[in-house]
Amino acid sequence: MSTHISVPGAPAGAPGTGPRPGPSEPPVLETVGLTKHYPVGSGGRRGAVVHAVDGVDLTLHRGRVVALVGESGSGKSTIARLLAQLQPATGGRLMLHGEDATARGRRAFRRYVRRVQMIFQDPFGSLNPVHPVRYTLTRAVRIHQGRLRGDRLESALTTLLERVHLTPAERYVDKYPHELSGGQRQRVAIARALAADPEVLLADEPISMLDVSIRLGILNLLQDLRDRLHLAILYITHDIASARYFADTTLVMYAGRVVETGDSESVTQDPKHPYTRLLVASAPDPENLVARDRAEARGEPPSLVDPPAGCRFHPRCPFANALCRAEVPPLLDVGTGPGGVRREAACWGFSDRDDAPDVPEVSAP
């Protein structure tokens, strides 16, 4: 029988931890079979590629947050860059409101980025250090809202700074990035994205380079923007605890593939896929350091130039058998979470095949 797993850093009753109603409208942004392979440029392996992302399906709905969780190198940030169309996909489809959204040409790309904006990981590198906040936001406003001047421009700048809780606006608008804290710089970066009045925000590890003391404030700001502006947010993180706190739905990635999906509470508290269990067990827990060390000692991620056949997690999985080593598991139904949200795991242990491995339920400590 499954048992509750506490995830450190996600306080009980925190915003985002309770079940929210499922999406009531079609997705604003959707991928089907999204794939990205990078050619290997050296080493004498002609024709070899890095399998960064393989066949990912993803849907983003307005007013909801989807978390993409996984360790470094799992393909999370690559997906963000593909959705932002900063890089071309190798295969698959990208759809905005159900229509092909692949930007062909500069004008099409500009129309796309008015609706889909990205927030980068590094607030220290994403702002030009030689220009003040006024220049950064003015440029974004004029690109997306027309060449505003005078009082109309000042009003637009003030509105953007107030939306990200940098008030009074006149205190921040003429400061340079080096005069701001890391959290304030990230708020300016978010304000710049909001200048386009987007429908989707792609947040690529937006708190990982910030002090622990201010991370919660940025997540609360994004949560507030989701609710007030009815935004769809893709939240990319390696911290599964923050996914539980902030996101409605969580997708777990491993070696370029999605291995588990479901509502964030269920995925973090009752993980099904063996990799998700490892990820949850690896979260810092001062009350269970021995178990954490054991979880971290189970091998390394595979090479994405020559990934293993079958399930890519099988070299590290304690339950893998011959089937896991031979065939790629599809996402299989593993029940429903609160509100009837469907849960899936890409593990043969949840199939009804006779040669399936025996994957026990999570047991009590």
Side-chain angles (χ1 to χ4, degrees):
M1 178 179 295
S2 299
T3 187
H4 179 86
I5 300 175
S6 64
V7 179
T17 59
R20 282 163 47 86
S24 58
E25 56 189 59
V28 57
L29 193 64
E30 182 178 9
T31 70
V32 178
L34 189 67
T35 299
K36 180 63 178 179
H37 295 166
Y38 296 99
V40 175
S42 61
R45 304 187 65 176
R46 180 173 296 179
V49 296
V50 177
H51 297 253
V53 175
D54 269 329
V56 170
D57 297 342
L58 177 70
T59 57
L60 300 178
H61 296 261
R62 298 200 70 168
R64 296 183 67 81
V65 178
V66 173
L68 203 55
V69 179
E71 59 196 323
S72 297
S74 61
K76 309 183 304 297
S77 293
T78 299
I79 286 180
R81 290 192 291 269
L82 294 176
L83 294 185
Q85 300 205 53
L86 299 179
Q87 295 180 351
T90 303
R93 300 172 62 198
L94 175 63
M95 294 174 287
L96 186 67
H97 293 292
E99 298 183 358
D100 180 31
T102 304
R104 297 176 176 86
R106 186 172 180 178
R107 289 186 179 180
F109 178 73
R110 181 166 290 189
R111 288 195 299 269
Y112 181 81
V113 298
R114 286 195 182 108
R115 304 168 85 172
V116 180
Q117 281 283 306
M118 188 163 176
I119 302 166
F120 294 93
Q121 177 180 8
D122 183 6
F124 306 95
S126 63
L127 301 178
N128 192 323
V130 303
H131 291 299
V133 171
R134 178 184 297 279
Y135 175 90
T136 298
L137 296 185
T138 295
R139 188 167 182 269
V141 166
R142 287 180 172 171
I143 288 173
H144 298 295
Q145 301 180 30
R147 300 193 63 83
L148 304 184
R149 298 183 182 278
D151 291 343
R152 292 180 64 197
L153 176 60
E154 290 300 313
S155 176
L157 299 182
T158 298
T159 297
L160 288 175
L161 290 172
E162 289 177 346
R163 278 184 175 177
V164 297
H165 304 165
L166 289 178
T167 55
E170 56 268 21
R171 179 185 298 175
Y172 300 97
V173 71
D174 290 313
K175 287 192 174 183
Y176 287 81
H178 73 270
E179 298 178 294
L180 302 174
S181 69
Q184 290 169 344
R185 293 184 204 189
Q186 195 62 292
R187 289 172 187 267
V188 171
I190 294 171
R192 177 176 57 188
L194 295 178
D197 192 21
E199 299 175 80
V200 179
L201 284 182
L202 308 172
D204 185 10
E205 302 218 40
I207 62 173
S208 65
M209 297 191 68
L210 303 179
D211 291 342
V212 173
S213 59
I214 58 178
R215 292 179 179 180
L216 189 60
I218 297 297
L219 289 183
N220 286 338
L221 169 62
L222 291 172
Q223 201 167 62
D224 178 55
L225 293 172
R226 173 200 68 187
D227 296 336
R228 284 194 294 126
L229 304 180
H230 199 48
L231 294 173
I233 298 178
L234 177 65
Y235 172 56
I236 293 173
T237 182
H238 61 272
D239 179 10
I240 199 166
S242 67
R244 179 193 172 197
Y245 175 85
F246 178 48
D248 302 294
T249 304
T250 292
L251 280 66
V252 180
M253 285 197 71
Y254 181 77
R257 291 177 176 157
V258 173
V259 297
E260 184 163 352
T261 71
D263 66 283
S264 297
E265 180 74 6
S266 296
V267 169
T268 55
Q269 299 303 288
D270 181 25
K272 298 298 186 183
H273 194 280
Y275 173 67
T276 310
R277 299 180 189 182
L278 177 65
L279 200 63
V280 170
S282 298
D285 184 356
E287 297 181 359
N288 196 15
L289 292 177
V290 173
R292 180 191 172 202
D293 289 341
R294 282 202 305 268
E296 291 179 344
R298 296 179 183 174
E300 299 293 334
S303 165
L304 294 183
V305 177
D306 188 19
C311 175
R312 289 185 179 173
F313 187 63
H314 84 253
R316 302 173 70 185
C317 182
F319 315 116
N321 67 4
L323 173 62
C324 306
R325 292 186 284 271
E327 298 183 33
V328 178
L331 283 166
L332 300 168
D333 190 347
V334 292
T336 57
V341 177
R342 183 181 179 185
R343 299 191 59 194
E344 296 177 317
C347 176
W348 285 120
F350 297 99
S351 73
D352 56 3
R353 290 181 53 156
D354 293 337
D355 56 348
D358 181 17
V359 179
E361 292 288 328
V362 180
S363 58

